Amino acid sequence: MGSERLLAGRKKIGLALGGGSARGFAHIGVLKVLEEAGISPEIVAGSSMGAVVGALYSAGVPLPVLERLAAYSRRSLWTDWTFPRMGFLAGDRLEQLLLLLTRRKTFQELNRCFAAVACDLCSGQRVVLRDGVVARAVRASAAIPGVFRPVEDEDKVLVDGSVVERVPAPTARALGADMVIAVDVGLYLTNQKPQHLLDVISQSLDVLQRDLCRYTLVEADIIIRPQLAEIAPGHFHRAAEAIRAGEEAARKELPHIREILCGKEHHAQVT
């Protein structure tokens, strides 16, 4: 493990955590395996659920605590129904939960460089959030269109970062990462029928992002793809399964990660 820590120190490692609602719990499993291997990313970029997990990790919340939180997660913790002018959920309860878990930290107070990716509906542009209170930025990054009310920031109306960069590998690279490990928790365009509103919206976004995602993943050196086809975006009760899938996928990619850290050439396969 000590030699791996030394090798990891030679390259600035960036981690790009993608969106995927409940499937995003797989990020916890990936982080567990990387931590066990002594691989500690200096840069973390997240979209949507990837921003949630990435922010808590960067704020110093221990992975065992994250795993327990995921196991006992219930929609009642973050759902606050509102009159659906711009979203069925206000998002205030989610923000309060994030404030509590991150201890109201700003980006400058985090343990590592972290960025949350959002989309500005007014300009249609990607917005990389790196200033101010972390919880507010993550709330914007996780604002699934039609589900959560957008976050208004001066002249911007911010929604889920997955709209423009579902797996934020380009953002991690732009922040200075020499090596980018991307975690893609899924585009599963199967015959699975949506069960409720979150599934309908999430699966619709998956269809829209099918081709866009290929371009963002070009910036990744390693792509970790947990197998989550059986877990729908709204299956928050299956967090433990998603975490295990993340662990399994990360372990498969460890040899490739070590190759790059040792200076050997490796090309991620984008499909």
Side-chain angles (χ1 to χ4, degrees):
M1 182 178 293
S3 62
E4 288 175 13
R5 289 186 187 278
L6 180 62
L7 287 168
R10 295 177 186 171
K11 291 181 182 291
K12 187 175 289 187
I13 300 173
L15 193 60
L17 304 179
S21 297
R23 293 170 181 154
F25 286 128
H27 296 314
I28 298 172
V30 172
L31 288 168
K32 284 177 62 179
V33 171
L34 294 179
E35 191 171 86
E36 289 167 4
I39 298 168
S40 179
E42 297 174 66
I43 295 167
V44 178
S47 286
S48 198
M49 190 62 167
V52 173
V53 175
L56 298 179
Y57 174 64
S58 299
V61 179
L63 292 177
V65 173
L66 279 182
E67 193 167 6
R68 288 197 295 272
L69 285 169
Y72 293 105
S73 66
R74 297 290 182 270
R75 286 202 188 98
S76 59
L77 288 174
W78 47 265
T79 52
D80 45 3
W81 299 99
T82 184
F83 184 77
R85 186 171 71 90
M86 289 200 290
F88 284 98
L89 300 177
D92 297 333
R93 185 171 291 181
L94 172 62
E95 188 171 344
Q96 289 302 314
L97 180 62
L98 291 167
L99 282 168
L100 175 66
L101 294 173
T102 61
R103 299 181 180 180
R104 298 179 178 271
K105 288 184 177 180
T106 64
F107 281 83
Q108 289 68 36
E109 295 171 318
L110 296 176
N111 296 351
R112 49 180 46 82
C113 175
F114 170 71
V117 176
C119 172
D120 175 21
L121 286 181
C122 297
S123 67
Q125 299 298 309
R126 175 189 66 169
V127 178
V128 179
L129 302 168
R130 296 189 61 201
D131 295 307
V133 178
V134 173
R136 185 66 170 172
V138 175
R139 152 83 178 87
S141 180
I144 302 171
V147 177
F148 283 101
R149 186 174 62 199
V151 172
E152 297 188 41
D153 180 19
E154 296 180 352
D155 59 338
K156 298 182 180 67
V157 178
L158 302 176
V159 296
D160 198 308
S162 293
V163 173
V164 286
E165 198 171 84
R166 192 172 59 84
V167 184
T171 295
R173 184 74 70 186
L175 291 175
D178 301 309
M179 170 187 178
V180 175
I181 302 172
V183 186
D184 182 1
V185 295
L187 272 179
Y188 296 100
L189 305 181
T190 64
N191 292 322
Q192 189 177 55
K193 291 184 178 180
Q195 300 299 313
H196 49 69
L197 176 64
L198 180 59
D199 287 347
V200 170
I201 294 175
S202 296
Q203 288 177 220
S204 298
L205 287 172
D206 281 354
V207 173
L208 292 170
Q209 295 161 2
R210 178 171 45 193
D211 295 323
L212 174 64
C213 192
R214 294 193 185 104
Y215 294 103
T216 61
L217 287 173
V218 167
E219 289 292 339
D221 298 287
I222 294 287
I223 304 171
I224 297 175
R225 287 190 171 97
Q227 296 305 303
L228 300 160
E230 300 303 316
I231 299 178
H235 285 173
F236 286 89
H237 60 288
R238 300 179 69 178
E241 296 173 59
I243 292 171
R244 283 197 299 273
E247 291 181 51
E248 292 169 4
R251 286 197 181 95
K252 288 180 181 178
E253 291 298 331
L254 269 181
H256 297 148
I257 294 172
R258 291 188 178 112
E259 283 180 9
I260 295 178
L261 293 178
C262 291
K264 296 179 182 178
E265 190 173 358
H266 172 79
H267 295 287
Q269 184 176 2
V270 179
T271 58

